[in-house]
Amino acid sequence: MDSSRYQDAVRLVAAIILTNMAGIIGSLFTAPNIPGWYAGLVKPPLNPPSWVFAPVWTTLFVLMGVSLFLLWREGTDRPPVRAALLVFGLQLVLNLLWSVLFFGLQSPLLGLIEIFALWFAIVATILLAYRVSRPAAYLLVPYLVWVSFATYLTWAIWTLNP
């Protein structure tokens, strides 16, 4: 394997690990609260069973990691790449923060407020990524769709549990 392919392989693995770390750290706030607090909440009719969330999020974090790799591979010396990577990092932090607020602090209201910021950060990431790598942008679309659904769930849980 030549050095550029090796470097790409290392970057791809690193990007996927980085994005999944956000999910793993978020799960430290989520998992302990599912059997007690979350199980006791009134949920909307479209709420999927709890077991659905882990495989969906794992898939989304892998897609996000590939997207991150495609952006990173374009070279961090270019301003559009740096902008896309910066906003990508912001949305990744916001993703993690939602778990802290919703599950860790057991606050659907704070989770709802925060998920709107996350949604807009994902849209901004997609728009900035599109200027750098269309495949990187397209890989984030399922994430936006899922977070849109998660926004509905967060809102419904907030309204159903005054």
Side-chain angles (χ1 to χ4, degrees):
M1 180 182 297
D2 66 40
S3 72
S4 74
R5 283 189 179 191
Y6 176 76
Q7 188 176 34
D8 276 354
V10 169
R11 284 183 177 177
L12 176 61
V13 170
I16 291 172
I17 289 171
L18 176 66
T19 56
N20 275 277
M21 286 305 297
I24 291 167
I25 295 168
S27 74
L28 298 175
F29 295 92
T30 304
N33 289 298
I34 289 177
W37 176 74
Y38 185 74
L41 294 174
V42 177
K43 298 185 199 60
L46 293 178
N47 197 78
S50 292
W51 65 264
V52 169
F53 291 93
V56 168
W57 275 113
T58 301
T59 302
L60 292 173
F61 282 122
V62 169
L63 293 175
M64 291 164 56
V66 175
S67 176
L68 176 58
F69 161 73
L70 293 173
L71 294 171
W72 188 8
R73 185 172 73 169
E74 291 297 319
T76 57
D77 55 326
R78 297 178 43 217
V81 176
R82 285 197 307 269
L85 290 173
L86 179 67
V87 178
F88 189 102
L90 171 66
Q91 68 76 25
L92 197 59
V93 169
L94 289 171
N95 182 301
L96 170 59
L97 184 59
W98 183 88
S99 296
V100 172
L101 297 174
F102 186 88
F103 283 103
L105 296 180
Q106 298 180 357
S107 177
L109 175 58
L110 291 177
L112 181 62
I113 293 166
E114 193 279 344
I115 205 165
F116 282 113
L118 172 59
W119 191 91
F120 283 106
I122 296 167
V123 169
T125 304
I126 291 170
L127 294 174
L128 289 167
Y130 190 82
R131 294 173 45 201
V132 175
S133 166
R134 289 185 178 160
Y138 297 146
L139 285 167
L140 296 174
V141 171
Y143 175 38
L144 179 64
V145 170
W146 183 258
V147 169
S148 298
F149 179 61
T151 301
Y152 153 74
L153 292 175
T154 304
W155 170 82
I157 288 170
W158 173 64
T159 59
L160 292 169
N161 297 275

